[in-house]
Amino acid sequence: KEDLRFEKPVKVLKKMSENPYVISEYEINQKMIRDREAEIDFGFDKGLEQGIEQGIEQGIEQGIEQGIEQGIEQGIEQGIEQGIIETAKNMHKNGLDNKTISLCTGLSIEKIKNYIDNKK
């Protein structure tokens, strides 16, 4: 009894599958689906490619900016440190003791001795 329910739809489908117009429409429809899927795939790939490129560009820009900022900060810190060392050396040349130099510069007595003895 169940087979009888499908008998008529199966006959209709068979008849339609033999019709050249239906076959042509089906093939056109399938091509449209494949074309649309290809467009979606292309769009996805293109979007992914652009996203990666943008990410790399932004990463490089941020890296350069951070590098410059860190370089400036390090340069300033080194300059300040060098200035303090030079001041300590000048104070020593002018006869001040290491304890006074330490109090004025914030350097440890050990560092002062090291800089003066090694002439760094």
Side-chain angles (χ1 to χ4, degrees):
K1 213 172 194 184
E2 289 180 24
D3 291 338
L4 295 177
R5 282 187 353 198
F6 296 109
E7 191 175 320
K8 187 173 181 181
V10 168
K11 283 182 182 179
V12 170
L13 287 174
K14 280 184 182 180
K15 201 171 203 180
M16 287 176 63
S17 68
E18 294 168 357
N19 184 326
Y21 176 78
V22 172
I23 293 171
S24 174
E25 286 297 311
Y26 173 79
E27 288 173 353
I28 290 170
N29 206 347
Q30 289 301 305
K31 184 183 180 315
M32 287 174 29
I33 291 170
R34 285 191 305 272
D35 289 349
R36 185 65 181 138
E37 287 173 349
E39 288 172 359
I40 290 169
D41 288 345
F42 176 78
F44 177 81
D45 291 345
K46 192 71 174 165
L48 182 62
E49 183 181 317
Q50 287 175 348
I52 290 171
E53 286 175 12
Q54 273 184 326
I56 289 171
E57 286 175 19
Q58 287 176 353
I60 289 171
E61 286 176 20
Q62 287 176 351
I64 289 170
E65 288 174 15
Q66 285 178 344
I68 290 170
E69 287 176 17
Q70 287 176 353
I72 290 170
E73 287 175 17
Q74 285 179 339
I76 290 170
E77 289 173 12
Q78 288 174 353
I80 290 170
E81 184 178 344
Q82 192 60 41
I84 291 171
I85 292 167
E86 290 302 313
T87 300
K89 287 179 181 179
N90 289 334
M91 293 171 85
H92 178 74
K93 284 180 190 174
N94 286 303
L96 292 171
D97 63 279
N98 289 345
K99 187 175 181 182
T100 303
I101 295 171
S102 175
L103 288 171
C104 292
T105 61
L107 295 172
S108 68
I109 292 174
E110 192 176 296
K111 278 189 177 181
I112 294 168
K113 287 180 183 178
N114 189 34
Y115 288 127
I116 291 169
D117 292 343
N118 294 322
K119 308 247 191 249
K120 286 185 177 179

